[in-house]
Amino acid sequence: MTDARPSLADFQARFAASLRKPEDGSALSLFSPSERIPLARRFDVYRNNVHASLVDALADIFPAVERLVGRDFFRASARLFLADSMPSLGTLMGFGDGFPEFLDRFEPAARLPYLGDVARLELLWLAAYHAGEAPPVDPGALQAGDDPSGLCLRFHPSAALLSSSWPVFQIWRSNREDAEVMPIDLDTGPDFLMVFRSGGEVRIASLDLGMHAFCEKFAAGAALGDAAEAAAAVDTDFDLVAAFRFILSSGAFAAPLSERGDTCHVQHL
Amino acid sequence: MSKTLSRSTLARSSLAIAGALTAAISLSAAAHADDMGKGAMEKCYGVAMAGHNDCKAGAGTTCAGTSTLDYQGNAWKLVPAGTCASIETPYGNGSLDPKDTQLPS
Amino acid sequence: MTIPPSHDAPASSAGSGRSRLGRPTPAACPRAAGVGLKADHYREILDTRPAIGWFEVHAENFMGAGGAPHRYLTAIREHYPLSLHGVGLSLGSAGPLDRAHAKRLRALVDRYETGLVSEHLAWSRHDGIHFNDLLPVPLTEEALDIVAEHVEETQDILGRRMLIENPSTYVATRDEMSETEFLVALARRTGCGLLVDVNNVYVSSMNHGRDAAAWLDAITADLVGEIHLAGHAVEMVEGEALRIDDHGSRVSPEVFELCGRFLDRVGPVPTLIEWDSDVPPLSVLLEEASKADKLLLRAQAQAAMMGRAHD
C-alpha cells in the first residue's frame, strides 16, 4: 500500500475493526513490511491478547460455569459471547453482565437449564465482593420509636437476592469448592438466595419462602410492616423473631437511612 | 400497605413486630456471634476469605500479553463436558447431543 | 540481601512532588527492588512481612468500591510503599481522554498515598470498546500531540507527575520518529517521567531486529523514574522467534544484563519484578527481586565511586 499515512483516529478504527474480524487483513497496510515473520502472524498476537485475556476474565468471573461445562466448551461459548459483548470500561467492571442471558439463549447449553442462574449467582458473588462498605444495622436503630412497622430497612451495599427454579446454590457451591463435584438432583429446587458480604467475606444465605418475600419487600423500598405482611401471606409459620435475628446478625442489612416510616421510599442500590 | 386491613389488624401487626423485634434484640445480645444455628441463618453459607475464588475475582486487567494461543478458527463440537454430568436433569445426565457450531474465527 | 526501604535517599523522580522539600514522603518508593502485588500473596505478605522495598498494583484491580481488595491493600500499605500502575487509561486513543477513569486513578493515589503512578504509551479503547490489551501507537507528530495532551490532562487531574512506560510491540507501525525520540519528546513536553520496561525494550527490539542497548542509551538519567523487569515467552513462527511479553516466567539473563548496564549509567531507581500469568510462590518473586537488588547496589556503588550525584 502506498496510501498516505492515516490519521491516528483512522489507524485505530482500522486496527480495531481487524481485531474483531480475523479474516479481515485490511489493518496490515497500517504497518511496515516485515522481513521474517509475516505481518498477519504478528497482528494475530494482538487478536490473541484481546480475546484470550477477555475469555480469561470471564473464566475468573464464572469459575463454576466453566467447571460445569468444561474448559473447551466454556472458552468457545465465551468467544461467541464476546462477538456482541465486548467490555466498555477500562476497569472491566460490568463486563460479563450479559453472560447469564447469553447462556439462557445458548442452544448448545439448552440441556443445562440451570446454567444461566449459576452464572447469575457468580455475578452477584463478584458484585458483593467489590461492593462498598457500610455499617451494619444495629439494634439501637431498630428500637427507636414506638411503632417499628414504619421502619425502613436497607440492604448492605453488597446484598442482593436471587431466586431460581433450580438448586443453584448446591450446584454453585459444589463446583466452586469440592474436589469432586457431588451428584445433585435438579428436583431439589427452587432456591431463594441472598448474597451479601459480612466483613470482607462473601456469604450466601439460603432463605425460606417467607424470608425471601420479607427481603424482597425491602429490596423494593417497602417498610417493615409491609414486609412482615408479605412474608406472612406466603408463609403462615413465618418466624418474625428469626427474621430479625438474621437482619441483626448477618451483616446483610445496613443502618437505616431514616427511622421514620413515612420517608421509606429508599430503593436499594 | 393494604387498604383493606382494619385499624385493629394494623395495630396488632405493629405490636407483633415490636414484640418480635424486642425478642430478637435480646436473643442477639445474649447469644454469641457464632451461635446462629437457628432460623434463617441455619443454611447460611460463608465462603472463606482465603479461598481461591476471591483471589482473581473479576480482575482480569493486564499489562501483559498472552502466549497461550487461543484463537482458533475451526468448528467446535460444542458439547458441555464438565461436571454437569453429575447433575441429574429431567433429560438424564451427561448424554448430550453434540452440536456443531461454527465459531467466528 | 534486599535493600531495606530507605527514607533518607533523595527521591526526586521516585516520590511525589512533596519530596522536593528535601524530605521524602513516607510513601516514596525507594531506589530498591519491588514486586508486583498479586492477590495470591496478600496473606503471606501480611504474615511474613518480607524484606522488599515496595509493591506495585494494577490500579484497575482496586477500582471497586470496597471489600477484600481494599482491606488487604490498606493493610499492606501500612507496611510498604506502593506504586500505582494503570493499565486501562488508553492515553494513546485518538478520542478524548477518559476523564472518569483518570479521576478513579486520582482517588487511588490519594487513598493510598502511592509513591509512583504510571501508565503506558498505548491505546486500548476505541469507539466505546475496551480491548483489554496495550495496542501500539504509531510514532507520528500527530500521535505525539494527542498523547502529550492526554498526559497533561491526566497529570492535571492527578495533581502530580506521572511516568509513561514503553510497550512491547509485535508489529512495526509506519513511524515518523523512533520510540525513544517519541518518549523523550513526550517527557520534555509534559514533564512526565519514564517507566523504562527493559523487558519490553528487549522484546520489541528483538521482534523488529533493532538494537536494545541503543534504545536504552537514548534515555537520559533525569527522565527515568522507574524500571520494570519481567519474563517473556518465545513463540516460534515459521521458524523465526517472536517474543511475547507474557510476564509468565523469570526475567531472562539478557534482560538482566541490559538492566544492569542501564542502571550503571543512570544510577539506581525503583525497579519492579512483574509476574502476572502462572504466578509463582512469593519466594520466587523475592528471588528475582534480590537479583535486581544486586544490580541496584552495584549501580549505587559505582555512582558513589564516581562521585556522581543523580538528578
Side-chain angles (χ1 to χ4, degrees):
Chain A
M1 278 273 224
T2 56
D3 56 338
R5 187 175 279 116
S7 69
L8 184 61
D10 189 30
F11 173 93
Q12 289 172 348
R14 287 160 64 183
F15 197 113
S18 284
L19 274 179
R20 303 195 63 197
K21 283 184 284 174
E23 72 284 3
D24 177 0
S26 64
L28 300 184
S29 65
L30 297 168
F31 313 120
S32 295
S34 163
E35 282 174 20
R36 301 173 299 126
I37 298 164
L39 263 181
R41 301 295 299 275
R42 291 171 173 272
F43 190 71
D44 278 346
V45 175
Y46 290 108
R47 283 193 177 118
N48 188 56
N49 283 350
V50 168
H51 288 83
S53 76
L54 291 173
V55 169
D56 285 347
L58 290 172
D60 285 349
I61 300 169
F62 302 105
V65 172
E66 185 187 18
R67 196 167 174 203
L68 279 161
V69 299
R71 187 177 191 274
D72 289 347
F73 185 93
F74 183 86
R75 295 189 82 81
S77 315
R79 280 165 54 197
L80 287 167
F81 171 71
L82 281 180
D84 298 315
S85 307
M86 289 289 285
S88 55
L89 289 178
T91 57
L92 290 186
M93 298 279 168
F95 175 54
D97 281 0
F99 197 53
E101 288 69 33
F102 169 85
L103 291 174
D104 286 344
R105 295 188 309 263
F106 190 45
E107 213 238 335
R111 303 191 84 167
L112 311 178
Y114 50 85
L115 205 56
D117 283 351
V118 175
R120 282 180 187 89
L121 185 51
E122 300 206 272
L123 276 182
L124 291 183
W125 192 98
L126 183 68
Y129 182 76
H130 286 294
E133 308 284 349
V137 65
D138 66 280
L142 295 190
Q143 265 169 329
D146 297 330
D147 179 7
S149 66
L151 270 178
C152 178
L153 288 177
R154 205 163 55 98
F155 279 12
H156 186 272
S158 64
L161 298 171
L162 177 70
S163 28
S164 172
S165 312
W166 315 103
V168 67
F169 172 68
Q170 264 196 77
I171 297 171
W172 173 88
R173 195 207 58 74
S174 193
N175 277 280
R176 279 226 179 175
E177 299 281 307
D178 294 348
E180 197 167 323
V181 173
M182 61 184 198
I184 293 161
D185 180 356
L186 262 198
D187 287 337
T188 53
D191 265 4
F192 302 106
L193 305 176
M194 187 171 198
V195 185
F196 59 96
R197 201 175 67 228
S198 177
E201 291 183 34
V202 179
R203 291 170 178 269
I204 297 176
S206 180
L207 308 177
D208 58 29
L209 196 57
M211 190 61 185
H212 175 72
F214 192 64
C215 291
E216 226 175 14
K217 277 287 181 185
F218 291 127
L224 195 46
D226 284 354
E229 221 173 280
V234 294
D235 178 4
T236 47
D237 293 331
F238 181 64
D239 184 346
L240 204 48
V241 177
F244 282 132
R245 291 193 67 193
F246 178 77
I247 287 168
L248 287 169
S249 316
S250 62
F253 287 78
L257 290 177
S258 163
E259 286 158 11
R260 293 171 53 84
D262 57 357
T263 58
C264 191
H265 312 295
V266 184
Q267 192 88 29
H268 165 67
L269 292 177
Chain B
M1 182 74 67
S2 166
K3 283 176 184 151
T4 60
L5 285 174
S6 69
R7 288 184 76 81
S8 62
T9 311
L10 271 175
R12 270 210 309 279
S13 114
S14 290
L15 276 176
I17 289 169
L21 196 47
T22 307
I25 289 168
S26 59
L27 278 168
S28 296
H32 286 295
D34 55 0
D35 181 23
M36 292 293 298
K38 296 231 158 53
M41 275 297 269
E42 192 170 41
K43 288 176 275 182
C44 182
Y45 178 79
V47 177
M49 199 164 158
H52 63 279
N53 288 311
D54 61 355
C55 290
K56 298 189 284 184
T61 60
T62 179
C63 60
T66 175
S67 55
T68 319
L69 292 176
D70 193 32
Y71 211 82
Q72 293 143 319
N74 52 338
W76 290 61
K77 292 265 188 208
L78 276 177
V79 191
T83 59
C84 57
S86 73
I87 294 166
E88 285 158 35
T89 76
Y91 321 108
N93 56 16
S95 56
L96 301 156
D97 296 330
K99 297 263 190 291
D100 281 344
T101 300
Q102 180 67 49
L103 291 178
S105 55
Chain C
M1 267 304 268
T2 306
I3 302 172
S6 155
H7 297 300
D8 51 358
S12 58
S13 60
S16 67
R18 282 170 288 176
S19 64
R20 264 182 257 138
L21 297 172
R23 203 167 51 87
T25 67
C29 295
R31 295 167 183 274
V35 300
L37 181 63
K38 306 309 290 180
D40 304 304
H41 302 146
Y42 289 161
R43 279 289 166 116
E44 190 180 347
I45 289 163
L46 289 172
D47 291 346
T48 65
R49 303 257 204 91
I52 185 80
W54 51 287
F55 288 104
E56 182 164 285
V57 294
H58 287 178
E60 285 70 15
N61 292 345
F62 296 88
M63 286 182 176
H70 286 292
R71 288 165 180 245
Y72 275 118
L73 192 58
T74 301
I76 289 167
R77 175 66 187 86
E78 281 172 23
H79 304 290
Y80 298 95
L82 284 181
S83 164
L84 191 66
H85 188 51
V87 301
L89 186 56
S90 198
L91 289 167
S93 278
L97 180 75
D98 184 346
R99 292 180 62 87
H101 196 95
K103 285 175 184 166
R104 288 192 281 267
L105 263 186
R106 166 68 192 254
L108 286 170
V109 167
D110 288 349
R111 180 167 179 176
Y112 292 102
E113 300 182 291
T114 62
L116 298 165
V117 53
S118 53
E119 251 289 352
H120 298 82
L121 171 59
W123 61 284
S124 51
R125 194 185 68 254
H126 175 75
D127 203 15
I129 291 178
H130 172 70
F131 288 99
N132 204 40
D133 189 31
L134 301 169
L135 303 170
V137 174
L139 306 170
T140 62
E141 292 291 347
E142 185 215 3
L144 179 58
D145 287 345
I146 289 168
V147 176
E149 200 173 300
H150 290 165
V151 168
E152 277 172 353
E153 206 177 341
T154 304
Q155 291 186 140
D156 283 348
I157 288 169
L158 295 174
R160 62 185 284 177
R161 183 195 201 202
M162 69 188 306
L163 306 175
I164 300 298
E165 177 181 342
N166 57 297
S168 277
T169 58
Y170 310 103
V171 294
T173 42
R174 291 158 60 202
D175 302 332
E176 294 169 355
M177 63 189 95
S178 70
E179 191 171 66
T180 49
E181 284 167 343
F182 190 100
L183 287 167
V184 170
L186 180 67
R188 300 280 178 234
R189 209 188 283 189
T190 66
C192 76
L194 299 182
L195 193 181
V196 175
D197 187 317
V198 181
N199 181 59
N200 288 353
V201 171
Y202 182 73
V203 163
S204 296
S205 297
M206 294 300 284
N207 284 345
H208 304 306
R210 298 177 193 148
D211 181 353
W215 193 105
L216 291 167
D217 286 345
I219 303 296
T220 52
D222 59 313
L223 297 180
V224 185
E226 183 185 347
I227 287 174
H228 272 183
L229 296 172
H232 63 264
V234 183
E235 291 282 326
M236 294 311 290
V237 179
E238 303 190 4
E240 298 279 354
L242 184 64
R243 283 174 166 74
I244 297 177
D245 173 46
D246 71 346
H247 298 188
S249 58
R250 288 181 187 267
V251 179
S252 75
E254 294 87 348
V255 169
F256 266 129
E257 170 71 24
L258 283 166
C259 181
R261 280 169 46 201
F262 185 58
L263 284 171
D264 286 347
R265 181 170 63 79
V266 303
V269 288
T271 299
L272 184 82
I273 302 296
E274 294 182 289
W275 202 316
D276 295 301
S277 51
D278 297 326
V279 177
L282 181 62
S283 59
V284 175
L285 296 186
L286 298 175
E287 271 171 43
E288 292 290 279
S290 73
K291 291 185 208 166
D293 269 334
K294 283 199 186 96
L295 301 180
L296 287 159
L297 280 170
R298 189 182 80 191
Q300 198 169 41
Q302 209 144 2
M305 224 158 50
M306 293 168 70
R308 231 168 1 114
H310 300 296
D311 308 308

